[in-house]
Amino acid sequence: GQQVMQIPQYQHVQEGEDFTTYCNSSTTLSNIQWYKQRPGGHPVFLIQLVKSGEVKKQKRLTFQFGEAKKNSSLHITATQTTDVGTYFCATSGSGGYQKVTFGTGTKLQVIP
Amino acid sequence: SQTIHQWPATLVQPVGSPLSLECTVEGTSNPNLYWYRQAAGRGLQLLFYSVGIGQISSEVPQNLSASRPQDRQFILSSKKLLLSDSGFYLCAWGGGDTQYFGPGTRLTVL
C-alpha cells in the first residue's frame, strides 16, 4: 500500500517564526490531504491537493503539492500559539473504498 | 450537515475486561466508516473499515472486532482487553477522499 513519510517528527519554534513540515512518498500520489490535531483533540481536515504543482493558501498556511506528485509541504508563516498541534499529511486511493493513509505527523510546539 | 458521535469520551478498564465503543453518524447515508487507534504521541493506525451494513474489513489482526448493525452505527469491541489496547480510539466517516473524525474515546487499560 501507499506510504507517506513525514519530517520532522517534532518542531519547536519561537512565536512569530515560520514553520514547515514535509511529506514524501516513493510512489506517485493521487492526492494529498492535510489534517491538524490540537492537543487532546481529534484530527480535523484542512485541505486537499490533487493537481501537480498545486499551491493553496489558508491565511498564514500555504500548502504545496510537488510537480511529480510525490511530495507535499505545509508552511506556516509567523506562527502563533494557536498553531500548536500535530499536523498530518494523508493520501487516499481510488475506488469506492476511500482508504486514507496517514503520515507519521509533525508535532509543532510554539514558544510564546 | 454531518455530525459524528462517539461515546464514552474516556474509559478506564482492567486487563481482561470486555470493551464496547460506539460511533454514530448523522446527516449522511451509507457512509464509509472507519476505526482508528492512536497511541500516545503517535500516528493514526487504521483498525477496521466498513462500506456498508454487515461489511467489515480488518486492517490489523488483533483482539479487537468491529460490527456495523445499522447504516450509521459502527461498534468496536473486545472480549478481553490487553494493556497494549490503551490509546485514543477515533471513529471517522469518509466523505469523498477526506476523513471526518469523531471526538474520540480515550481508553486506559490497567
Side-chain angles (χ1 to χ4, degrees):
Chain A
Q2 291 180 322
Q3 287 189 328
V4 285
M5 303 301 295
Q6 209 172 333
I7 55 170
Q9 190 174 3
Y10 300 99
Q11 185 83 58
H12 291 78
V13 299
Q14 209 63 42
E15 188 173 16
E17 291 182 339
D18 293 356
F19 159 77
T20 305
T21 174
Y22 301 90
C23 188
N24 299 296
S25 172
S26 59
T27 60
T28 302
L29 304 172
S30 56
N31 58 62
I32 197 80
Q33 300 147 35
W34 286 95
Y35 294 77
K36 177 184 178 181
Q37 184 176 23
R38 293 181 185 275
H42 59 277
V44 174
F45 172 76
L46 294 176
I47 208 160
Q48 177 171 257
L49 306 171
V50 296
K51 298 178 183 176
S52 169
E54 189 171 12
V55 178
K56 288 188 177 180
K57 292 189 175 184
Q58 289 180 351
K59 298 182 180 177
R60 294 178 294 103
L61 277 62
T62 302
F63 305 85
Q64 189 165 4
F65 202 7
E67 293 289 345
K69 300 183 74 173
K70 289 186 176 181
N71 56 73
S72 180
S73 64
L74 159 58
H75 179 82
I76 303 178
T77 303
T79 54
Q80 300 175 359
T81 54
T82 53
D83 296 324
V84 165
T86 302
Y87 293 85
F88 292 97
C89 64
T91 187
S92 66
S94 58
Y97 165 53
Q98 300 295 353
K99 177 182 173 182
V100 178
T101 301
F102 284 83
T104 47
T106 295
K107 187 173 183 178
L108 171 65
Q109 188 62 262
V110 179
I111 305 164
Chain B
S1 63
Q2 299 83 8
T3 308
I4 183 165
H5 302 279
Q6 275 188 257
W7 62 91
T10 59
L11 191 60
V12 179
Q13 292 284 97
V15 169
S17 64
L19 173 74
S20 181
L21 301 180
E22 189 165 343
C23 167
T24 59
V25 182
E26 296 177 358
T28 184
S29 57
N30 197 30
N32 291 338
L33 295 174
Y34 308 81
W35 278 112
Y36 291 88
R37 178 169 61 198
Q38 186 176 36
R42 304 293 293 275
L44 295 160
Q45 180 187 31
L46 178 63
L47 302 175
F48 300 94
Y49 68 90
S50 171
V51 299
I53 295 173
Q55 300 179 62
I56 308 295
S57 295
S58 174
E59 288 292 303
V60 182
Q62 53 209 325
N63 68 320
L64 299 172
S65 62
S67 62
R68 186 169 176 175
Q70 300 180 43
D71 181 44
R72 288 172 284 182
Q73 183 184 30
F74 205 21
I75 297 172
L76 182 70
S77 304
S78 174
K79 292 182 179 178
K80 286 186 177 182
L81 285 169
L82 307 172
L83 285 174
S84 57
D85 290 325
S86 293
F88 191 34
Y89 287 81
L90 291 154
C91 179
W93 74 273
D97 291 329
T98 59
Q99 305 264 282
Y100 298 94
F101 289 86
T105 295
R106 208 163 295 278
L107 171 67
T108 303
V109 182
L110 300 174

